Amino acid sequence: MIKNRFLKHAAIFFAAFSFLYAQKIKLGNDVLLTEHLDLIKGKRIGVVTNTAATLSNGDRFIDALLDLDDINVKSVFALEHGFELQKGAGVVIPNSTIEQIKIHSLYGSNKKPTPQMMADLDIIIFDIQDIGMRFYTYISSLLYLLEACGENNVDIIVLDRPNPLGGILVDGPILEDNFESFIGIENIPVIHGMTIGELALFFNDRITPKADLKVIKMQNWDRSKFWDELELHWRDPSPNIVNFESVLLYPITVFFEGTNISEGRGTYTPFHIFGAPFIDSKKLK
């Protein structure tokens, strides 16, 4: 009886300990809101974000920011797929509004903020979930934003987030200069092993003039862990990255986009499958 009671209490203790451990990662946006509001109070703010940019508790960062007193959000910037993440790959994003706030598209006629977009801003906050691969255009937009901030004397704060593939795995060839494009913006490998904050520091070191950049680091992130080990809320960061398994498969099957073979876009399992009408599946196996 005593042994059973001990085991029961021990199980409760370890369950509680595991829960507390799982909750102790603080994302960059959590840290900004709880420890560094002084950096943005009294400033005219632009926010680069989308609906996948959540706090560690699952709430949207933009909602938490707009709920604060004395915080002056002048504009929002939308990247590929739009603020609501409802547009497919390559679809032009129009300008729009959220709660009477202008949303500037950075995936249309302009991929880099214009001086007019920056004219009424003191600071830009960047909070976007990356997936750790060179082809993902959010990091290309980050480089353009850093350039625009440097050129227009606007400060930028990047709120750090986990790389879903951790911070140790690095793989694939490094991009050569002749093949630079919006899906390959810098000389980094396919799987780059950096967080969005680390990428910002890397990019900023390679541009002139440099942006006045501050990275709000995460707390208690273990770079050896993949996303499914972090106990954080998952929000699909783009329409065809439908779960963490998509992130694991994307570095392999995305290469089919350069061929006449489908990688599953438009199905319920994008990047999980590939095929074409002319393929003999039995022969291929």
Side-chain angles (χ1 to χ4, degrees):
M1 178 70 110
I2 293 175
K3 180 180 179 182
N4 288 340
R5 290 178 65 186
F6 171 78
L7 291 174
K8 180 179 178 181
H9 287 297
I12 292 171
F13 170 79
F14 284 115
F17 178 81
S18 298
F19 176 78
L20 290 171
Y21 177 79
Q23 296 302 307
K24 74 178 190 177
I25 293 178
K26 291 185 72 173
L27 304 177
N29 54 23
D30 296 312
V31 178
L32 174 72
L33 296 179
T34 58
E35 300 181 24
H36 294 298
L37 281 180
D38 58 295
L39 295 176
I40 60 174
K41 280 190 174 180
K43 302 290 182 68
R44 299 171 299 170
I45 303 166
V47 186
V48 185
T49 192
N50 57 37
T51 54
T54 61
L55 305 173
S56 58
N57 66 4
D59 293 342
R60 296 195 315 185
F61 169 66
I62 188 66
D63 295 333
L65 192 65
L66 294 176
D67 284 344
L68 294 173
D69 295 328
D70 304 321
I71 298 298
N72 182 17
V73 176
K74 300 286 290 184
S75 57
V76 172
F77 294 85
L79 310 185
E80 186 177 11
H81 309 297
F83 172 75
E84 297 286 351
L85 297 175
Q86 295 179 348
K87 303 294 185 182
V91 176
V92 171
I93 305 302
N95 294 328
S96 57
T97 59
I98 174 176
E99 297 188 17
Q100 313 305 313
I101 297 171
K102 176 95 172 177
I103 299 181
H104 296 293
S105 168
L106 294 182
Y107 199 76
S109 56
N110 297 299
K111 288 188 170 68
K112 181 176 177 177
T114 64
Q116 291 74 24
M117 294 178 189
M118 309 285 275
D120 62 346
L121 300 179
D122 300 310
I123 194 165
I124 282 180
I125 301 173
F126 186 97
D127 189 24
I128 291 284
Q129 181 60 57
D130 181 39
I131 64 169
M133 275 159 277
R134 184 176 72 216
F135 313 120
Y136 221 49
T137 62
Y138 297 162
I139 68 173
S140 303
S141 296
L142 172 61
L143 176 55
Y144 285 167
L145 280 154
L146 289 164
E147 289 178 344
C149 285
E151 293 161 1
N152 293 279
N153 297 310
V154 174
D155 296 349
I156 180 168
I157 295 176
V158 174
L159 307 181
D160 212 3
R161 297 181 148 273
N163 182 328
L165 296 178
I168 295 176
L169 177 65
V170 175
D171 203 358
I174 293 175
L175 183 75
E176 298 177 15
D177 289 337
N178 291 341
F179 299 100
E180 182 181 306
S181 72
F182 199 62
I183 56 169
I185 201 69
E186 258 291 1
N187 307 114
I188 57 176
V190 173
I191 301 175
H192 52 69
M194 289 182 274
T195 68
I196 199 73
E198 290 167 343
L199 276 167
L201 293 168
F202 174 80
F203 289 158
N204 201 43
D205 194 48
R206 294 166 69 87
I207 62 173
T208 303
K210 299 185 189 310
D212 190 339
L213 166 67
K214 183 174 184 61
V215 175
I216 304 296
K217 297 180 180 180
M218 295 174 281
Q219 295 178 2
N220 305 311
W221 177 59
D222 181 346
R223 68 186 309 121
S224 71
K225 295 184 182 298
F226 279 24
W227 185 279
D228 59 345
E229 301 173 280
L230 299 179
E231 299 296 331
L232 288 170
H233 293 267
W234 174 265
R235 294 281 182 90
D236 298 342
S238 59
N240 281 284
I241 300 295
V242 296
N243 50 34
F244 174 62
E245 288 181 355
S246 303
V247 180
L248 294 173
L249 294 166
Y250 182 90
I252 305 164
T253 54
V254 72
F255 283 101
F256 286 117
E257 291 189 349
T259 74
N260 58 349
I261 295 173
S262 168
E263 79 289 27
R265 284 187 187 270
T267 73
Y268 290 111
T269 52
F271 301 113
H272 293 62
I273 58 175
F274 67 91
F278 56 80
I279 290 178
D280 182 329
S281 59
K282 291 183 180 178
K283 190 174 181 179
L284 178 63
K285 290 176 186 178

